[in-house]
Amino acid sequence: RAKSAGGNRFELADPEADARAITRHGLTTALPTALERGEFFIEYQPLVHLGDGSVRGAEALVRWLHPQHGVLGPDRFIPLAEHTGLIVPLGRWVLEQSVRQAREWRELHGGADAMGPLRINVNLSPCQLTHPGLVQDTVDILERTGVEPDALCLEVTESALIGADDDLLKPLRRLAEMGVDIALDDFGTGYSNLANLRRLPVSILKLDRSFTQSMQQFPADPVDLKIVEGIVSLAHSLDLTVTVEGVETGAQAEQLRILGCDTAQGWYYARPGPPERLHELALVDATG
Ligand code: C2E
Ligand code: MG
Ligand code: MG
Ligand code: MG
């Protein structure tokens, strides 16, 4: 620890940075036991059809109920889990839990209505993509739970796929061939070549929240509108579905609906919450 030796000139110790470092270190070492102790849990945020407002599914978002620090969001620990490799078993756990949850909704909800069964979106980290067990683990989980592959969507960020070679795309292609949807998450934040989209086995584009934020005013900035309009029409011409993230107001939802976006997600509809909440929302929806 740096101590000031006469005056403040060598006052290098930054208590806040220390606290951050200790927490980071502490969190990293606590991660493996956290999984064993069942300290992770999943919240679900509804995915809503922009045309009719119906709930079509949910995105699974992992949280850590830390015994000392309380509930931690994924941004606090996913990078650490990626760094230590724990992301592979953690990601597998999230996938299994979420798919089980989807099956439960399906049983409760009947899945008999015109909208079909609720779908489940699960985030994949780049480390999971390069892990050789991904396809088999996914197949096993779907078989064990009896959930059809087309009820599952795996979200991969645009940045994880930038410059992806065929080896990286192979497992995603296999999953896509089985009927699993692949979504390109946080689309528009990377610098991927739009023409590159043709090469990727994706069926859904998730427009990043920054686009939604630019729809704050109604009508929104004409240039922003043109950009989103362009992305949506390109996506549709490639047979991709467009989902928008971070919808916080009705005005944003309306604007994005007019622009042709298909599905939306955001606080305007619901914050991420427990699975019962999703079921309630879907049920209210189905019964009017
Ligand atoms: P993401 O996949 O882009 O998920 C959307 C994030 O936006 C979530 O943050 C969600 O809570 C937040 N959000 C949703 N609606 C709104 C809104 O209207 N306004 C605002 N301001 N935010 C909204 P969260 O839960 O903190 O997750 C952050 C990121 O952590 C996720 O971004 C995803 O990349 C990652 N993540 C979450 N769960 C998992 C997981 O199980 N595995 C992996 N590998 N990554 C995960
Ligand atoms: Mg996501
Ligand atoms: Mg996203
Ligand atoms: Mg995002």
Side-chain angles (χ1 to χ4, degrees):
R1 171 172 287 269
K3 276 267 173 198
S4 59
N8 291 325
R9 286 178 59 209
F10 301 105
E11 193 76 85
L12 295 178
D14 172 353
E16 266 186 43
D18 280 356
R20 276 198 302 273
I22 290 162
T23 311
R24 203 185 140 85
H25 176 72
L27 292 182
T28 305
T29 50
L31 270 171
T33 39
L35 188 57
E36 288 160 23
R37 289 186 191 156
E39 291 171 7
F40 293 103
F41 67 101
I42 302 173
E43 287 193 313
Y44 299 88
Q45 186 176 37
L47 290 155
V48 177
H49 188 262
L50 270 169
D52 62 15
S54 61
V55 175
R56 298 300 176 93
E59 178 173 8
L61 297 158
V62 67
R63 280 89 178 82
W64 179 4
L65 179 55
H66 189 285
Q68 279 93 49
H69 305 294
V71 175
L72 302 177
D75 293 335
R76 290 289 299 279
F77 61 86
I78 291 288
L80 307 179
E82 285 174 340
H83 192 69
T84 58
L86 191 82
I87 191 69
V88 171
L90 176 59
R92 203 189 290 127
W93 180 83
V94 171
L95 183 63
E96 174 132 24
Q97 287 294 116
S98 309
V99 170
R100 282 189 188 285
Q101 189 54 65
R103 193 200 44 194
E104 195 176 308
W105 284 327
R106 198 200 159 91
E107 284 164 2
L108 289 167
H109 199 60
D113 51 88
M115 264 115 60
L118 292 172
R119 311 182 74 247
I120 186 75
N121 284 33
V122 179
N123 292 286
L124 275 194
S125 111
C127 315
Q128 289 173 273
L129 276 187
T130 51
H131 185 263
L134 175 68
V135 175
Q136 195 57 50
D137 286 347
T138 309
V139 169
D140 289 347
I141 289 171
L142 290 170
E143 279 180 5
R144 271 206 295 280
T145 52
V147 168
E148 286 79 21
D150 62 7
L152 173 66
C153 171
L154 296 173
E155 300 193 359
V156 184
T157 61
E158 181 191 15
S159 57
L161 292 187
I162 286 178
D165 57 18
D166 271 344
D167 281 348
L168 193 78
L169 295 179
K170 212 180 268 170
L172 289 182
R173 285 220 176 86
R174 293 239 352 246
L175 291 163
E177 281 159 16
M178 282 164 46
V180 173
D181 273 311
I182 310 294
L184 205 50
D185 205 352
D186 298 343
F187 183 79
T189 53
Y191 296 91
S192 61
N193 182 345
L194 286 177
N196 196 25
L197 279 175
R198 290 177 54 202
R199 223 168 57 79
L200 304 176
V202 300
S203 47
I204 297 167
L205 270 198
K206 290 193 80 173
L207 263 194
D208 189 66
R209 180 151 57 91
S210 51
F211 292 102
T212 309
Q213 280 169 335
S214 69
M215 304 288 131
Q216 213 80 268
Q217 271 98 43
F218 191 92
D221 180 87
V223 176
D224 290 335
L225 289 176
K226 285 272 176 241
I227 293 172
V228 175
E229 207 171 22
I231 294 175
V232 172
S233 85
L234 176 83
H236 284 166
S237 71
L238 293 171
D239 269 337
L240 303 174
T241 300
V242 180
T243 299
V244 287
E245 308 186 305
V247 175
E248 295 180 359
T249 68
Q252 288 171 335
E254 180 58 7
Q255 190 74 262
L256 290 159
R257 188 189 62 78
I258 292 168
L259 288 170
C261 298
D262 304 291
T263 314
Q265 182 180 356
W267 297 346
Y268 173 62
Y269 303 101
R271 300 218 173 207
E276 304 77 50
R277 175 100 181 95
L278 200 272
H279 173 59
E280 279 162 26
L281 287 167
L283 208 61
V284 165
D285 205 68
T287 55

